[in-house]
Each structure stands twice: as C-alpha cells, then as structure tokens.
Amino acid sequence: MKRYSIIFLLFLSLLASAQPKYEVRAVWLTTIGGIDWPSSYAHNGMGIERQKQQLIRMLDQLKTANVNTVLLQTRIRATTLYPSDIEPWDGCLSGKPGVSPGYDALQFAIDECHKRGIELHAWVVTIPVGKWNGYGCQQLRRRYPSLIRKIGDEGYMNPESSQTAEYIANICSEITRRYDIDGIHLDYIRYPETWRGSKQRENITRIVRTIYQKTKVLKPWIKISCSPIGKYDDLSRYSSRGWNANRQVAQDAQGWLRSGLMDQLYPMMYFRGNNFYPFAIDWQENNYGRTVVSGLGIYMLHPLEGNWPVNEVKRQFNVTRSIGMGHCYFRAKFLLDNVKGIYNIAKDFDRHPALIPPMKWEQSRAPLPPTTLTVKRTGGGDQISWSGARDLSNGPYLLYNIYASTELPIDITNPANLVATRTTSCNVTMKRPGNKRPIYYAVTALDRYGNESPAVMQQTAGQNNAVASYLLPNDGKKLTLDYSVDAELLVVRTLQGTVVKNFINSKQINIAGLPEGFYELKSLNRKGISHRLGFFVIRR
C-alpha cells in the first residue's frame, strides 16, 4: 500500500472540491422493524398510501442530495418485502409476519426510484435468519431443519452446506427475474464471528459464485455487490485490531473483485482516523478495475451512538473522493433527519448529479446516440424530444441523460451541466432558469451497463423548434465541414480514444479508407491544443 500520511490525505482532501462526473452516491435504506421505512403499518388502502407517500418524500429528499443509488433491504430475516414463492412476507409492512400489506412494495420502490433516475439494488441479508423462534426462522427450520444453526438465540444458515448456496441464489434469481432491479446487494455474506468451521473462505466464495452465476445469466447488466467488514485485512503499518473481512469472517472480498464475482463493494467503514484512511486506500488500490464505495457510518454522529463531530465525516467525504471512491450512507434515517447538519453538508458536497461508473468489464460498446434533437419553447418550459439512438448491448432499453448550458458546444464532461439523468422517456419538459440568457440542450443515450453515447447537441436557442443533427455529414467516402477550423491537423479517433488517422486541415477529408463504424473528429493546432469537432458514422 502507498504510504500516505494522514496529513497528506488531508491535503488531498482539499483537492476534492471538483465534482466528478462518475461517482456512486448511495444509501442503505433499512426496512427491518421499519427503522428507516416504513414508519407505519398498512392495514388498508389508507395505510398503503401512507407508506407510499413516506417513501416518495424520502426519495425526493435523496434526489435533492444527488443520491444515485438506493440499497433497499429486500430479504430481511428469511422474510421478504415482495410476494415471494420462496419465503414469507416480513412484518415491517403489514405489522404481521407472513401477511401481505396489500401491495408490492419492491415494485413500487423500483418505479419511484427509476422516475428519479436513481438505481435500486435489492439488499439481500444472506446468512442470518433472525431469532430462533422468529417467524422467518421458524418457517425455514420446518422446511430445512438441517440447514439452520443456532447461535445464542439467533438462527443462521449453514455456509458449509451446498444447499445454502442454492437456496440464497434462488432468492436472488427470483428477484432478478421478476423485477427491473439494477443490482443485488449481499449483506452478511460471511461466517458469524463465533462459528469455527473448515474451508471457511471457500464456503462463502461458493455462495457468492452460485449467486453470481444464477443472476448474471438472467440479466448480465445487474450489479452484484456486497458490504464486507470495513477492513479487508491487517496492513503492513496498520493493524485491523482483530476485526477484518478476510481472516476473521472468511470474506475474501478483494478476491471476489479479482476473480470477477463482484461488480461493486461497499465496505462498512464505520471508523475514524487510522482505522479509516489507510484501509480506504487499501480497498481502492485493490479494486481490480471495479467499483469500491466507502460505507460511511453517519449514524455515529448521533449523540446516542458515537457523538462524532461532523467534521470527521466531512474529512471522510473529501479523502475518499480524492482517491476515487464513492460514498454510501448508513443509514437513510440519519441522513434525512439531518443529524448535526449532515444532509445539508451532503447536498453541498454533491452539488451536481453524478453518473454511476460503467461496467466496462461486462460490456464496453457505447450506444449509438440520438440523431435528432427538437426543442420547443413553451410557457410551461422547454419541450425536448429526440430519436434515433440504438443500443448495441442487447439490454432491455436505453436511458438518457440531458445536459443544459448557456454556452456552445455544451461540455458533457462537466457534471454541472447535467440536468436529468437516466430518464426513460424521449420527451421531457424542462423548466427554464430565471435568467434571460439562452439555454442550449444536449442529450446522450445510456445503456444498462452505464456506457454513454456521444451527444446530440442543440445548435440554436431560437424560440421555435430547433432541430439539431449532431452527426457530421458524409457519404462514406468524403466528410464535409461547413465551417473553417483554425488548426493544422484533423484527427479521427475511435470512441475509445484510439487515433485512427490524421488529415491535413481541410473542409473536406477523404474517409474512403476507413472501415464502417462510429468515429470522433478533433482538431489539433501547432501548440498541441485540441478541440472536438463532432462525430460521424460511416455506413456503406
């Protein structure tokens, strides 16, 4: 591990004020006992509506804070938040375990998250199944008496049984098959700390592998993640103090990234000082090209929990961003209750939206962008519509990001220009800001793996329809620019950034020798300064 001092980390944190375009900003939304949601039971239509309205208010607040991922506790303690064929209803919704609340809470949550451009990951508690005489544990023991072990007054699934892997994987695949989720998030995918068994790491990894295989074959774009213990192992200079994922509870989480069994990790880093920063660096340095998100223990701000000073969390925000990690709040209630002003701080820290890093290890071909963009100015706002995008990933549908700026060309690398993310509609109405400067729009397509297309960009801010074609015109042999460029060279690149060919600057260049495909055209002057001129597709 690189030997960063705490002072140097704090210096890095000063550089973290720039907002990244790609960053996971997540929250654990806990349903056990309704401690985050719901705060009331659904006995009738009014009760259902109260639960729905409470969740809507929470999601509106999370959207305002630019949270882009909700980890919703879906399998709770051998009980579920949805009508399952495998396990009974949890009692958090109806007030009575095994009794339906009268609606599908998971489907409702997915729909409301997606309306706001937020990903929803189904949080599945794996090994613990609750109190030994609790409803979920009792039901499971009756069906599979040899599968459950008792520790104290709690029941746990046996990690050493191959049946455990199949059982949990069947729950995950049921959720994946039935619902348009964005991820499966595994909690407590580990041995209880007092359990001593053989081949522990291999047993837990078998469960992870079985879940991965059964879910990815259904929908390869969903993200498999887990929340390991906050310290992977002892470091050369910093001890885990006897509490780590790898050796204490058999969570080889970094190995799961390395072997491709995990797309994301959310280590539970509910610590301070040298118990936090060196271990955060260790997680990030061993991400193997995947996404690692620091789990922040904001509950420790509460006077009855840890009574941390809020500046501790602010430093953790800044340092984790400076090393390229996202952040996840534990839990939703402490964020939305604004304990010690943490909600206001989060809104300021994440002033602009962020996209979720793409899963390029699964699929790296960006979709083809929209080919037309129409903007109509009305008294109710700007009506924007587009068409022509095409998904190259064989996903179920495309999503769209909308950018707005008072300047052309619109810089889509700047998250300050993001005004809507992950919208499913090709027709939206945007409210105009109060200033009288013209607003221009751009739209990109986004596949379910998170790959973003180039933009179709508005060329005029006139009050009537403004139709823009972002593609540079060509006939497969010649490409023509309708304006002069102050540069020595024109550079053709692939969308991955590989230079294909350089041309002497001219309004018309010969592209007959290039294969069919999608390209970017940039200018390059004698000082090495480059500007994007646009994109073009060669079809013959």
Side-chain angles (χ1 to χ4, degrees):
M1 189 190 80
K2 294 177 183 176
R3 296 190 173 182
Y4 294 112
S5 69
I6 296 297
I7 293 175
F8 182 59
L9 284 171
L10 296 179
F11 169 73
L12 284 178
S13 73
L14 297 176
L15 305 179
S17 58
Q19 302 271 300
K21 179 176 175 177
Y22 291 95
E23 185 175 67
V24 174
R25 300 156 181 182
V27 64
W28 279 288
L29 204 162
T30 309
T31 58
I32 188 169
I35 59 175
D36 284 338
W37 176 81
S39 61
S40 60
Y41 295 132
H43 299 129
N44 50 37
M46 290 180 62
I48 292 172
E49 189 60 24
R50 277 196 297 270
Q51 288 185 357
K52 289 182 174 181
Q53 289 303 316
Q54 182 191 5
L55 185 60
I56 285 172
R57 288 192 298 272
M58 294 173 72
L59 295 178
D60 283 344
Q61 287 180 275
L62 294 174
K63 179 64 177 177
T64 300
N66 285 315
V67 167
N68 56 26
T69 303
V70 167
L71 310 175
L72 177 68
Q73 195 173 31
T74 300
R75 187 207 188 205
I76 302 166
R77 292 295 187 272
T79 51
T80 65
L81 203 70
Y82 67 97
S84 169
D85 293 334
I86 302 172
E87 292 188 328
W89 283 98
D90 189 76
C92 68
L93 296 166
S94 69
K96 296 180 180 179
V99 175
S100 168
Y103 75 111
D104 188 335
L106 178 57
Q107 185 62 61
F108 178 76
I110 291 169
D111 292 342
E112 292 300 320
C113 281
H114 287 180
K115 284 179 187 177
R116 293 160 177 79
I118 296 173
E119 286 198 356
L120 185 137
H121 297 210
W123 164 7
V124 173
V125 180
T126 56
I127 302 299
V129 291
K131 297 295 183 184
W132 188 252
N133 291 318
Y135 188 78
C137 185
Q138 277 190 338
Q139 298 299 310
L140 196 52
R141 286 195 289 118
R142 286 172 185 158
R143 294 167 59 201
Y144 305 102
S146 64
L147 197 58
I148 310 302
R149 297 283 186 88
K150 187 178 183 183
I151 301 177
D153 62 350
E154 300 280 338
Y156 295 85
M157 302 195 76
N158 182 1
E160 292 163 12
S161 170
S162 60
Q163 192 176 12
T164 291
E166 290 294 325
Y167 184 89
I168 299 173
N170 285 341
I171 291 172
C172 294
S173 60
E174 177 184 62
I175 297 169
T176 302
R177 186 174 60 253
R178 289 188 183 180
Y179 296 95
D180 186 20
I181 56 169
D182 301 287
I184 291 285
H185 179 67
L186 305 176
D187 185 21
Y188 212 108
I189 185 72
R190 63 179 178 87
Y191 269 76
E193 47 267 36
T194 57
W195 188 318
R196 292 294 173 260
S198 61
K199 299 183 180 179
Q200 289 188 326
R201 274 191 291 274
E202 291 87 342
N203 292 330
I204 298 297
T205 296
R206 179 180 63 238
I207 300 173
V208 172
R209 183 180 298 108
T210 306
I211 292 169
Y212 181 91
Q213 291 171 344
K214 283 206 167 191
T215 53
K216 284 286 189 173
V217 73
L218 297 171
K219 296 175 181 176
W221 55 86
I222 69 163
K223 300 172 180 69
I224 305 298
S225 70
C226 74
S227 50
I229 298 299
K231 303 171 184 178
Y232 177 68
D233 211 330
D234 289 337
L235 305 178
S236 59
R237 297 179 61 203
Y238 299 95
S239 169
S240 65
R241 301 188 178 185
W243 185 236
N244 62 67
N246 187 38
R247 285 181 295 110
Q248 300 303 124
V249 294
Q251 283 182 312
D252 186 17
Q254 291 181 0
W256 300 337
L257 291 177
R258 183 177 60 249
S259 60
L261 295 178
M262 285 281 163
D263 301 300
Q264 297 179 330
L265 291 184
Y266 294 77
M268 300 180 292
M269 305 188 65
Y270 311 151
F271 314 110
R272 294 197 286 177
N274 284 342
N275 287 310
F276 181 92
Y277 301 106
F279 295 94
I281 295 168
D282 178 63
W283 284 114
Q284 184 64 1
E285 287 186 344
N286 292 282
N287 65 23
Y288 297 97
R290 306 297 172 98
T291 303
V292 181
V293 183
S294 58
L296 302 182
I298 62 168
Y299 73 98
M300 295 295 286
L301 295 169
H302 196 281
L304 298 181
E305 297 289 347
N307 203 24
W308 283 4
V310 74
N311 282 343
E312 182 66 45
V313 177
K314 291 174 70 174
R315 283 193 294 270
Q316 292 180 0
F317 272 150
N318 283 298
V319 170
T320 51
R321 174 169 288 174
S322 73
I323 61 175
M325 299 177 77
H327 44 274
C328 183
Y329 307 104
F330 186 78
R331 341 181 299 265
K333 180 175 173 55
F334 295 94
L335 177 67
L336 300 182
D337 283 354
N338 200 23
V339 176
K340 292 189 177 177
I342 187 61
Y343 179 76
N344 295 335
I345 291 167
K347 283 198 303 180
D348 183 63
F349 187 71
D350 296 329
R351 292 186 301 279
H352 308 301
L355 303 183
I356 293 156
M359 303 166 64
K360 290 190 177 296
W361 51 90
E362 289 281 1
Q363 155 70 21
S364 60
R365 297 181 68 193
L368 294 181
T371 54
T372 60
L373 172 64
T374 301
V375 179
K376 185 178 181 180
R377 313 293 184 181
T378 73
D382 294 337
Q383 295 179 355
I384 309 169
S385 60
W386 57 89
S387 62
R390 196 176 75 188
D391 192 358
L392 302 178
S393 70
N394 297 318
Y397 54 81
L398 283 173
L399 303 161
Y400 298 95
N401 300 319
I402 302 173
Y403 299 80
S405 177
T406 58
E407 298 179 356
L408 283 175
I410 299 171
D411 181 4
I412 68 168
T413 67
N414 183 354
N417 292 331
L418 262 174
V419 292
T421 61
R422 297 175 58 85
T423 180
T424 56
S425 174
C426 293
N427 298 274
V428 299
T429 299
M430 304 297 299
K431 291 183 179 179
R432 288 192 301 274
N435 64 57
K436 296 183 179 181
R437 296 185 66 186
I439 300 294
Y440 305 93
Y441 294 97
V443 177
T444 62
L446 192 75
D447 68 20
R448 292 301 296 276
Y449 298 91
N451 297 299
E452 187 180 30
S453 78
V456 56
M457 198 170 299
Q458 187 184 357
Q459 301 299 319
T460 175
Q463 293 302 307
N464 298 318
N465 284 6
V467 180
S469 174
Y470 97 104
L471 294 174
L472 299 173
N474 76 89
D475 61 4
K477 297 179 181 179
K478 302 284 186 182
L479 182 148
T480 302
L481 294 173
D482 58 4
Y483 53 88
S484 298
V485 177
D486 183 17
E488 279 61 49
L489 293 176
L490 302 180
V491 181
V492 175
R493 308 195 315 172
T494 67
L495 296 187
Q496 290 73 39
T498 303
V499 174
V500 176
K501 194 166 183 178
N502 294 326
F503 294 93
I504 301 297
N505 185 7
S506 171
K507 281 194 173 184
Q508 190 175 79
I509 59 175
N510 183 355
I511 59 173
L514 300 181
E516 289 189 343
F518 202 94
Y519 299 94
E520 177 187 30
L521 184 66
K522 303 192 77 172
S523 65
L524 183 65
N525 67 20
R526 66 182 62 189
K527 295 182 180 180
I529 298 173
S530 179
H531 295 284
R532 177 187 292 160
L533 303 178
F535 300 87
F536 63 96
V537 176
I538 298 177
R539 295 191 180 102
R540 300 188 180 95

